[in-house]
Amino acid sequence: MTSEIEPSACSCDDGNCACGTGGCACGSGKCTETIGDSSDQGPEMPDLGQGWTTGDLDEEWEAHAEEKLETVDFDVELGVEMSRDAMRLARGELTEAEFHDKHHEAIKAEFGIDERPTKSTPLEATRGGDGNALPGVPAVEGSGLSSRRGLMKAIGGLAATGATASVAGCLDQDAGGSASATDGDGGDNEVQMGMVIDTDQCIACLKCSEACKEENNTDRGAQWMHVFRYEEDEYGETRAGQMPRPCQHCSEPSCTYVCPTQSRFKREEDGIVVTDYDRCIGCKYCEVACPYGVNFLGKNEPTEKSPGFFGSETDQNDRHVGGPPPAGVMGKCTFCVHRQDDSAQRGTTACEDDCPVDAIHFGDMNDSESDPREYLRENDEETRFKLLEQQGNEPNIVYLGNEPSNEAKPVDGPYTYEDVGLETLAEDGGDD
Amino acid sequence: MSTGVLEDRVLYPLENTSRRFYALLAVFVLTTILFLVAWVYQLNVGVWAATGIGDWGISGGVPWGLYIGGFVWWIGLAHGGIAISAAVRVINVDRFAPIARVSEVLTVLALSMAATNIVLSMGRPDRIFNTIIWWPATVHHSPLAWDIAVISLYLVLSLTYLTLSLRAEIAAFRDRLPVHFSPLYVLLTLGYSTSEDEKIEQILWWLAVAILALVPLLSGGVVPWLFSLIAAQPGWFGAAAGAAMLTESLTSALAGVIVITAIFRWAYDWDDVIDERIFRDLAIVLAFLALATIWFTMHDILTGVYAAPTNIGALTTAMLELSFFWLAVIGLVVSVVALFVMIGWPEQFFSIPALVGVSVILSITILNKKVMFVVEGLMFPTAPPLTNLYPTGSYSPTLVEWWLFIGTIFLAGFGFLVASKVIPMVELDPEEVN
């Protein structure tokens, strides 16, 4: 048994093989023989080519595979979970060390031994046997002063005076780590989750706002997903439009720059911008620095709309980032981060799921095969824009349709928040 | 007046306590208790429920209000206070020496009150030390981290300055100081010998130079940068904010020093200790500082209404419709006119009570300007098209907010009251005794 869980057996060079365990719960047809008699009749594993994901598998084949797995003596759930993670490893969303570490306990429990290295040096973690960086894993850190962050560093050093800054610089090397807001410097994230939102498709039904509230159990008055409904004058004609607005999960998020505790940070693994609820001091600087107005301070005022938050509150690095913010700390759209850390729901968000007209397309904006990128290609005739692009935050929401003009005026849509049992606090000027 | 008499007059409050003092002490103790009650209330219900602040965006709130405006105001007083004291030492104008100590104590107290206002505005004040824990990692990018560095640096500099300047004095007059503060005096004069006096004087001079050099960079830099770097709020974004804010800070600081010095002068009959000529000279400086504040305001308006980018133009127009803005303009103009009349015809118009009155008006006006600067920027946030699509923000401070902010003024007063019983509030020359 032990020989099969040697790390050497797991090295993945491309998207084809996603092995990883002794029990071998591989997604790839190449490995199925280890399950048992492969001569069984059943649908063939379709050839999906390189770069496929579980979403591409047809359900029939998956059911067949699961049925086969029932016959083995090993923990099937663990196997399935590990193979999903192995695919993430192949896509570069996980490092090898993280992958090994994640299932270390479970593997030990199942097989009594796990000799795969869980604490490897960064060099070992990011390089394959031949010394090349694994696919999708950045081998070098972000560049010096070219980014806005680099400039901020320079000014910060100036303000703190030379000596302190250089000391701080050294400390930063140690203190930063994966917890640092410098996670995935700027837009260098290999995986950058984002959305393509088709405003022409959108019917302003507010289903996304409603789904978000139910899923994330946000406070009264907080709409992490808000839908603008507006009118504007277009050469004498009145044009109506609508524009859903989640957090833009920017590549240069001004909220993370100003945060005095690095509670607001950009996740290295998928570029999602979240808040560490256990560290945030509630200074509201992130809210002030965000040009999109997506932040809502936690008030512990849940609504009747949601029975509670049932996702994981902590992410894979054990930081408290999921669900509604506790009272006094800042919250905002998390791209349903609890779903992204759960293999069964990965790649989905509540708003996308509930959109009746398929206007929201969520996925990795850096992956040309992802749903949003494909949607962009399919609709290459349509105009597209990013909101407030001149602000330099490099948002990761791409809108299809016409951008609201500078003279656009808000109007009531076919549904108001009251219609769907939600409310905003605008009437009484914020808080009461 | 002979030196011996001066000493007697300055040390009088340390040797004797009047009934008036106890009455004032009772008032300050009461206000402190009320401050704590209000704070406990705010901690219990949460800052979002106890105050008028809210989320900008669809909620139409303003996330920063009186507390942050108050923080900027206190910081201005603090930086200006130490700058006045340092200037007196560096330029070596002995005539102004009697106001140096008051300025130094004001700096220490004002810095503490600035920090208090920040704590008041936080959603989770119990986590304040997270800013220190993460400082080494955040100082690269967070203006708030720079600010923590600046406030700490100023607190260290001003406390060092105050302590060093007190050593010789306390050693010389030790037998005339209150016995119950002996441990403090022992600590302050640890290892003191008269041979250090000359060195200490040199150190103080260089400290003063350092403080003066840092004022434009820190008070006219880091604090305004908290706002002017934030591109998301067009009302704040800009390069001249530093210079304008520094001028306002110095104006309110000088006004504050005038008010506090006048109160001490009146309370202890120090007419002979603090000469009226000092107040006349301060009035001249204050007049020109207030004039410079008007000058900056004029720049703001002109660039905002003449062919400005659409949203800046709209923002300026909206500002011109705020009654608070016109209150500030009236406060500034009335003060400047009054000050120049006092300077021009001192025989007819100059009096210390009148100067104190104008100083109070200027302090309140600057406070109004700072709070308005913070709030107005957040009432008209972000850039079009979002500016139009979101509701305009609204904000009015609650009673709790008012009380807690005004409470910090009372706390500072309490601090002065205590300080007047511990250290001489006017610098004495120990060499006269030795």
Side-chain angles (χ1 to χ4, degrees):
Chain A
M1 213 56 247
T2 57
S3 64
E4 291 178 37
I5 40 176
E6 276 294 310
S8 59
C10 312
S11 65
C12 302
D13 295 317
D14 55 43
N16 280 339
C17 179
C19 305
T21 91
C24 195
C26 304
S28 149
K30 287 177 191 167
C31 304
T32 45
E33 57 265 16
T34 54
I35 298 171
D37 185 8
S38 62
S39 64
D40 256 10
Q41 295 306 307
E44 275 295 311
M45 157 84 186
D47 184 12
L48 298 162
Q50 293 205 356
W52 58 272
T53 69
T54 44
D56 300 328
L57 290 172
D58 80 61
E59 278 172 27
E60 197 190 357
W61 187 87
E62 201 161 2
H64 163 74
E66 267 167 21
E67 191 190 315
K68 295 306 301 177
L69 287 167
E70 293 295 336
T71 62
V72 300
D73 291 329
F74 298 107
D75 185 341
V76 174
E77 267 181 42
L78 172 65
V80 171
E81 183 65 23
M82 283 192 69
S83 68
R84 286 205 158 104
D85 281 331
M87 281 184 269
R88 294 183 59 210
L89 171 67
R91 289 200 301 271
E93 295 168 24
L94 273 184
T95 67
E96 206 163 333
E98 281 171 81
F99 174 67
H100 290 165
D101 193 36
K102 187 173 174 189
H103 300 290
H104 181 66
E105 292 304 327
I107 287 193
K108 263 184 107 169
E110 179 76 3
F111 305 107
I113 187 166
D114 178 22
E115 289 180 344
R116 304 170 312 148
T118 54
K119 299 265 188 301
S120 53
T121 64
L123 194 68
E124 283 162 351
T126 53
R127 288 181 190 281
D130 56 358
N132 289 326
L134 284 169
V137 181
V140 276
E141 286 300 309
S143 57
L145 287 179
S146 59
S147 69
R148 187 200 302 192
R149 170 168 303 284
L151 180 65
M152 300 289 274
K153 279 183 184 173
I155 296 172
L158 187 80
T161 73
T164 30
S166 41
V167 172
C170 299
L171 287 170
D172 191 32
Q173 299 288 312
D174 304 329
S178 64
S180 158
T182 53
D183 271 13
D185 226 327
D188 303 342
N189 280 59
E190 286 294 314
V191 177
Q192 174 60 63
M193 299 313 271
M195 281 178 178
V196 169
I197 299 179
D198 192 336
T199 61
D200 289 338
Q201 199 73 11
C202 175
I203 54 170
C205 65
L206 304 183
K207 282 277 176 217
C208 50
S209 298
E210 214 180 341
C212 174
K213 183 149 290 255
E214 274 164 26
E215 174 94 7
N216 290 295
N217 190 26
T218 52
D219 284 329
R220 187 176 69 88
Q223 310 299 353
W224 284 1
M225 176 59 126
H226 172 66
V227 182
F228 290 109
R229 174 83 180 175
Y230 61 90
E231 273 179 5
E232 62 193 355
D233 182 71
E234 205 175 59
Y235 307 111
E237 300 295 322
T238 302
R239 192 182 79 88
Q242 53 283 317
M243 179 175 67
R245 184 240 60 205
C247 168
Q248 309 284 308
H249 293 272
C250 307
S251 292
E252 293 282 342
S254 44
C255 59
T256 66
Y257 294 162
V258 299
C259 179
T261 57
Q262 292 188 350
S263 319
R264 180 59 64 82
F265 66 104
K266 192 169 175 63
R267 297 217 306 180
E268 200 169 42
E269 53 267 41
D270 50 17
I272 294 181
V273 177
V274 280
T275 317
D276 185 336
Y277 296 147
D278 290 340
R279 200 195 282 179
C280 171
I281 61 171
C283 71
K284 303 177 276 286
Y285 207 178
C286 51
E287 178 172 11
V288 160
C290 168
Y292 299 100
V294 303
N295 290 280
F296 296 88
L297 191 74
K299 298 175 178 124
N300 197 18
E301 288 180 7
T303 58
E304 299 287 306
K305 202 76 192 166
S306 173
F309 177 70
F310 299 111
S312 170
E313 289 186 348
T314 52
D315 74 352
Q316 44 190 298
N317 298 320
D318 219 29
R319 299 182 71 165
H320 185 189
V321 299
V329 311
M330 198 55 80
K332 63 160 192 69
C333 158
T334 63
F335 266 173
C336 288
V337 66
H338 52 284
R339 291 191 180 208
Q340 311 321 318
D341 288 342
D342 169 13
S343 59
Q345 290 185 296
R346 186 166 302 130
T348 67
T349 64
C351 52
E352 182 193 31
D353 278 0
D354 273 28
C355 179
V357 290
D358 210 18
I360 301 172
H361 301 265
F362 174 72
D364 178 8
M365 300 302 279
N366 287 348
D367 174 7
S368 61
E369 303 300 318
S370 70
D371 176 33
R373 289 281 297 275
E374 207 165 298
Y375 193 80
L376 278 180
R377 264 198 308 278
E378 284 167 12
N379 296 279
D380 57 357
E381 304 285 299
E382 277 230 54
T383 54
R384 58 205 55 200
F385 66 94
K386 286 183 175 182
L387 200 51
L388 300 183
E389 214 173 358
Q390 76 280 10
Q391 294 282 337
N393 281 35
E394 296 178 22
N396 284 302
I397 309 288
V398 177
Y399 290 96
L400 289 185
N402 287 324
E403 185 170 14
S405 75
N406 288 358
E407 279 72 44
K409 295 271 177 291
V411 290
D412 273 345
Y415 300 93
T416 65
Y417 281 118
E418 287 70 31
D419 293 337
V420 293
L422 306 177
E423 58 180 321
T424 57
L425 300 173
E427 284 76 24
D428 56 9
D431 233 317
D432 44 12
Chain B
M1 184 172 59
S2 79
T3 319
V5 175
L6 176 78
E7 281 152 14
D8 289 345
R9 314 278 293 121
V10 170
L11 293 175
Y12 181 83
L14 293 161
E15 293 167 323
N16 309 278
T17 304
S18 67
R19 214 182 286 163
R20 257 192 335 191
F21 178 89
Y22 284 116
L24 201 55
L25 187 66
V27 170
F28 281 134
V29 168
L30 188 71
T31 53
T32 305
I33 291 170
L34 287 177
F35 175 86
L36 291 175
V37 168
W39 194 25
V40 168
Y41 168 78
Q42 183 183 295
L43 287 175
N44 270 325
V45 302
V47 69
W48 53 94
T51 67
I53 63 172
D55 296 310
W56 78 266
I58 58 164
S59 309
V62 164
W64 284 355
L66 186 58
Y67 295 145
I68 299 293
F71 156 79
V72 179
W73 184 73
W74 275 118
I75 284 286
L77 279 181
H79 290 179
I82 198 74
I84 291 165
S85 169
V88 169
R89 189 172 297 272
V90 170
I91 311 167
N92 215 357
V93 273
D94 286 344
R95 232 157 27 84
F96 287 109
I99 63 163
R101 179 70 37 84
V102 167
S103 309
E104 289 153 22
V105 174
L106 174 66
T107 295
V108 174
L109 291 172
L111 283 175
S112 316
M113 293 309 119
T116 306
N117 271 276
I118 287 287
V119 174
L120 288 177
S121 85
M122 285 168 54
R124 285 297 300 265
D126 54 311
R127 293 183 181 167
I128 178 82
F129 291 110
N130 280 6
T131 55
I132 310 287
I133 295 168
W134 294 102
W135 188 87
T138 57
V139 68
H140 289 313
H141 55 78
S142 165
L144 216 55
W146 309 343
D147 216 58
I148 289 163
V150 170
I151 293 173
S152 310
L153 183 64
Y154 256 106
L155 198 60
V156 168
L157 279 179
S158 53
L159 277 173
T160 310
Y161 190 88
L162 186 60
T163 311
L164 288 181
S165 73
L166 275 169
R167 276 169 72 89
E169 258 172 79
I170 287 177
F173 301 106
R174 192 48 211 285
D175 50 335
R176 297 180 65 177
L177 298 173
V179 186
H180 38 275
F181 293 123
S182 292
L184 180 69
Y185 300 136
V186 170
L187 192 69
L188 284 177
T189 55
L190 206 64
Y192 174 81
S193 80
T194 46
S195 58
E196 75 175 36
D197 286 356
E198 199 190 329
K199 259 290 165 270
I200 294 285
E201 275 305 310
Q202 288 170 1
I203 293 173
L204 280 175
W205 192 85
W206 281 108
L207 259 180
V209 170
I211 287 167
L212 281 182
L214 284 173
V215 163
L217 180 63
L218 303 186
S219 185
V222 174
V223 176
W225 286 344
L226 278 177
F227 307 94
S228 61
L229 298 184
I230 304 301
Q233 314 303 348
W236 295 345
F237 190 67
M245 209 178 259
L246 180 61
T247 313
E248 289 177 5
S249 298
L250 291 174
T251 311
S252 58
L254 190 58
V257 168
I258 288 173
V259 171
I260 295 160
T261 315
I263 290 174
F264 273 105
R265 186 177 190 263
W266 170 77
Y268 294 119
D269 287 324
W270 280 348
D271 296 9
D272 47 347
V273 179
I274 307 169
D275 198 76
E276 197 191 78
R277 269 192 14 227
I278 292 179
F279 287 95
R280 290 196 190 191
D281 292 343
L282 291 180
I284 296 173
V285 183
L286 188 64
F288 281 99
L289 281 173
L291 193 62
T293 303
I294 293 179
W295 182 66
F296 275 114
T297 310
M298 194 190 72
H299 275 254
D300 267 352
I301 299 172
L302 188 64
T303 50
V305 293
Y306 191 91
T310 330
N311 60 327
I312 302 286
L315 217 141
T316 312
T317 315
M319 182 174 81
L320 295 181
E321 283 164 12
L322 286 180
S323 50
F324 281 108
F325 173 77
W326 292 107
L327 269 177
V329 170
I330 292 168
L332 283 171
V333 172
V334 166
S335 304
V336 167
V337 171
L339 285 169
F340 278 105
V341 169
M342 281 187 209
I343 298 165
W345 298 272
E347 299 309 318
Q348 292 94 326
F349 296 107
F350 184 86
S351 77
I352 290 180
L355 179 62
V356 168
V358 171
S359 298
V360 169
I361 292 173
L362 271 177
S363 291
I364 296 172
T365 300
I366 301 288
L367 173 67
N368 173 16
K369 275 207 82 188
K370 307 243 184 203
V371 175
M372 198 171 55
F373 170 77
V374 171
V375 172
E376 209 236 349
L378 290 167
M379 279 168 69
F380 303 95
T382 198
L386 284 191
T387 298
N388 329 337
L389 294 179
Y390 282 131
T392 298
S394 72
Y395 167 75
S396 55
T398 60
L399 278 179
V400 172
E401 247 172 315
W402 275 117
W403 174 247
L404 283 174
F405 169 71
I406 293 170
T408 57
I409 299 177
F410 280 110
L411 281 178
F414 196 2
F416 266 108
L417 198 71
V418 172
S420 71
K421 289 291 162 196
V422 183
I423 53 170
M425 292 306 286
V426 173
E427 262 186 50
L428 293 170
D429 194 349
E431 275 172 37
E432 304 286 337
V433 177
N434 306 329

